[in-house]
């Protein structure tokens, strides 16, 4: 029997979930919930309904897992604890510092409702977190490195767009090759986020805007750019659309550690992602964990979980026997 | 309370486990079991005992997890089902084709004895298997690639040593850069094991041996070398000891896949290991899973498990709260 999926919120991530569900034969998208007028929202899956979020309770018995595709700043802290009362839910909450608080809220509501809520699913947090955990458990003496990119940072792109005279902009976060090499060297250097990354900006100006002033404003912007090696390119709107309309991302998680009685042997564990579409990849992770949520719920489990709490076999459509025979 | 570890078999892997236990504050090595005369075996841990394997039953209540460090060909198929009757056990059984049979044997014995047996722990099978599973669950449409090396293949080194006129030898398996690049390209080519690897041999001849004949015998050896691009270097025993006495290894697991309604976006997931000491790294994975075995046993679970069945949090000495706050 297939897992009946609901999508709550139909932006880039929601559309990514819709595409990912289609790639999994044991999954079925039954409904998309939106705050907009449902008639104004057209989805790709012919067999699924579009509904207003106000009607979500009517779907309690027709959805096995609800994938909540809101933003971490304001949506998810409200939505995930709210909807886990009625559904098994997955979210991609990515405000690292607030995860403990979010976990506690979702856990209490999930247990009260007898449902499973898996939070902070995606690649960071998500697959990168898993790789940090596995690598630290294997090599207790060592050093972790996380690099992001090359990829589009939505927050940094937005910050540029808010500058007067800027019509449109895309910002790429780029790992510094020399820093990556240093992390891989076994010398375990200290590397700040700034030393590990550069920032490249593609900016479309409003007519008559002062390019020099915009560039200065970007490069001196506190927190976002001031501490980084930042490059600004001014391009036409056509060029931005033609060459920078994708949402690629990726990155690297490394752990460099030692073993041996005298710590004489060095080891490097490296995990990396190169993604054409950040939201579609994140969505693909969400859907794999939706499969796990459904299975855990069928076992009678409830409460909040993270990727750390889920045995890998729960993510796969294959049986335990098939997995042992084909992938071990 | 710490996890009391026993080591059964004290070769390279057993010594690696001893070193790994020392790096984990919540672990304690209590005894090493050997088929040899215990008085002839000297270990590094002053507080641990060396015992004959015949006395192992006397340790039933003093060891939380026994790490079985025998070979996959003949030791583990006998030992793991035998000792899981009395202990929670971990092994590194790596004959991929026989894993289902080994699992069934260990599972039956583990359930009868009320213990946990985690089999096929290490890096391949082990961490590589986990990465294949996660990547396949996330990207159901794609292609897997596994590359081994650069590293020492014990089996191939032994095969060379058996040739008449060979005094000593080391064989390195080396991934082909062009094949790695092809796997990363997103074109998803078919690549055979032979296309992905070359073999480099360092050979010390017996006095008076015919080098040309030895080289010919190596390069035409069926299964081991005949199908590979093989290089043979003749060196002195001194050079072999000075430059080739380590047991490095490593490799790459990649999955190249697509997402999107029209499968228009490509993604690459890559995991790699670069290991100075194959046995010490394998041992470090075994010890992390020993922690998991102890916890599962304390929960009252029993039976055979693999890395697929163990939630990642069980591997870490940190609490769930600490993990969420520091690694998610």
């Amino acid at each position: 029997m297939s897992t009946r999926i609901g999508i709550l919120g139909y932006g880039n991530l929601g559309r990514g979930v819709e595409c990912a569900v289609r790639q999994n034969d044991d999954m079925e998208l039954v409904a998309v919930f939106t705050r907009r007028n449902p008639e104004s929202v057209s989805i790709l899956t012919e067999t699924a309904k579009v509904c207003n979020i106000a009607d979500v309770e009517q779907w309690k018995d027709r959805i096995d897992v609800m994938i909540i595709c809101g933003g971490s700043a304001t949506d998810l802290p409200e939505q995930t604890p709210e909807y886990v009362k009625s559904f098994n839910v997955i979210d991609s909450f990515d405000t690292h510092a607030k995860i403990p608080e979010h976990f506690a809220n979702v856990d209490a509501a999930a247990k009260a409702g007898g449902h499973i809520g898996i939070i902070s699913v995606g690649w960071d947090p998500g697959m990168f977190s898993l790789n940090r955990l596995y690598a630290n458990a294997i090599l207790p003496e060592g050093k972790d490195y996380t690099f992001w990119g090359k990829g589009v940072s939505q927050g940094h792109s937005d910050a540029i767009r808010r500058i007067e005279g800027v019509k449109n902009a895309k910002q790429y976060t780029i790992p510094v090759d020399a820093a990556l090499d240093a992390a891989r060297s076994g010398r375990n250097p200290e590397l700040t986020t700034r030393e590990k990354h550069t920032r490249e900006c593609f900016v479309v100006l409003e007519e008559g805007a002062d390019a020099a002033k915009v560039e200065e404003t970007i490069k001196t912007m506190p927190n976002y750019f001031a501490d980084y090696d930042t490059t600004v390119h001014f391009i036409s709107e056509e060029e931005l659309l033609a060459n920078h309309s994708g949402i690629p991302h990726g990155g690297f998680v490394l752990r460099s550690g030692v073993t041996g009685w005298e710590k004489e042997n060095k080891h490097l564990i490296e995990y990396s992602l190169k993604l054409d579409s950040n939201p579609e990849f994140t969505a693909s992770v969400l859907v794999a964990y939706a499969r796990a949520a459904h299975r855990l719920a069928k076992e009678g489990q409830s409460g909040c979980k993270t990727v750390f709490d889920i045995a890998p076999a729960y993510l796969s459509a294959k049986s335990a026997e098939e997995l042992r025979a084909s992938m071990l």
Side-chain angles (χ1 to χ4, degrees), chain A:
Chain A
M1 214 184 69
S2 65
T3 298
R4 297 166 301 173
I5 299 288
I7 293 173
L8 201 149
Y10 194 67
N12 284 332
L13 186 60
R15 273 188 292 274
V17 170
E18 182 178 22
C19 295
V21 167
R22 190 198 202 191
Q23 289 187 292
N24 287 281
D25 293 340
D26 61 337
M27 301 269 163
E28 182 197 355
L29 179 66
V30 294
V32 171
F33 299 89
T34 175
R35 283 181 283 220
R36 292 173 272 172
N37 174 0
E39 286 170 18
S40 74
V41 174
S42 85
I43 65 172
L44 300 163
T45 307
E46 290 178 7
T47 52
K49 291 247 171 20
V50 182
C51 308
N52 191 278
I53 202 168
D55 300 327
V56 70
E57 286 291 321
Q58 300 169 15
W59 290 80
K60 268 184 73 136
D61 302 321
R62 286 180 281 169
I63 285 173
D64 297 309
V65 184
M66 184 74 83
I67 302 182
I68 307 184
C69 298
S72 293
T74 56
D75 296 332
L76 298 178
E78 300 286 330
Q79 291 177 338
T80 310
E82 174 63 23
Y83 295 111
V84 79
K85 292 177 191 164
S86 309
F87 298 94
N88 301 306
V89 304
I90 309 287
D91 82 19
S92 61
F93 185 77
D94 67 0
T95 311
H96 291 261
K98 294 190 176 171
I99 286 172
E101 180 188 340
H102 188 55
F103 182 92
N105 293 339
V106 175
D107 194 48
K111 282 178 176 155
H115 291 103
I116 290 282
I118 311 181
I119 64 162
S120 300
V121 177
W123 58 274
D124 196 4
M127 299 312 296
F128 274 19
S129 322
L130 278 178
N131 276 280
R132 285 188 281 263
L133 193 166
Y134 278 118
N136 274 269
I138 296 168
L139 297 175
E141 294 186 62
K143 206 161 161 48
D144 294 312
Y145 299 93
T146 300
F147 291 76
W148 295 279
K150 181 182 176 174
V152 172
S153 163
Q154 216 57 55
H156 287 76
S157 301
D158 290 346
I160 299 172
R161 286 191 206 104
R162 285 191 295 263
I163 296 170
E164 198 187 318
V166 171
K167 192 175 176 191
N168 205 343
K170 263 294 168 64
Q171 193 266 189
Y172 295 91
T173 302
I174 304 171
V176 175
D177 280 337
L180 255 174
D181 288 344
R184 290 173 180 143
S185 69
R187 295 191 308 271
N188 291 6
E190 291 291 334
L191 294 169
T192 62
T193 303
R194 180 166 62 92
E195 289 169 328
K196 288 188 292 182
H197 304 92
T198 57
R199 301 195 175 279
E200 188 171 23
C201 315
F202 292 86
V203 180
V204 180
L205 292 173
E206 302 275 10
E207 206 161 314
D210 181 342
K213 197 179 152 196
V214 167
E215 181 164 349
E216 175 72 11
T217 307
I218 294 172
K219 288 187 168 177
T220 58
M221 196 185 295
N223 302 319
Y224 284 86
F225 295 101
D227 291 337
Y228 290 84
D229 179 358
T230 301
T231 314
V232 179
H233 307 279
F234 293 103
I235 61 172
S236 67
E237 180 102 59
E238 293 69 41
E239 195 181 335
L240 191 84
L241 291 174
N243 300 332
H244 304 284
S245 57
I247 318 176
H249 220 314
F252 303 79
V253 171
L254 302 96
R255 186 162 176 86
S256 167
V258 292
T259 65
W261 198 252
E262 306 291 348
K263 305 179 187 183
E264 63 273 29
N265 287 312
K266 293 179 177 177
H267 304 274
L268 181 68
I269 304 174
E270 179 168 342
Y271 179 80
S272 68
L273 296 172
K274 196 162 165 262
L275 314 174
D276 272 1
S277 167
N278 183 355
E280 287 180 9
F281 186 83
T282 301
S284 298
V285 183
L286 291 171
V287 167
Y289 278 91
R291 179 180 292 120
H294 190 201
R295 289 178 175 168
L296 291 168
K298 283 194 282 191
E299 287 177 11
Q301 296 200 43
S302 68
C304 188
K305 310 272 181 191
T306 75
V307 295
F308 295 161
D309 307 309
I310 315 280
Y314 281 97
L315 306 183
S316 173
K318 296 191 179 190
S319 71
E321 290 75 17
E322 284 175 299
L323 287 176
R324 285 194 293 272
S326 67
M327 287 194 195
L328 198 60

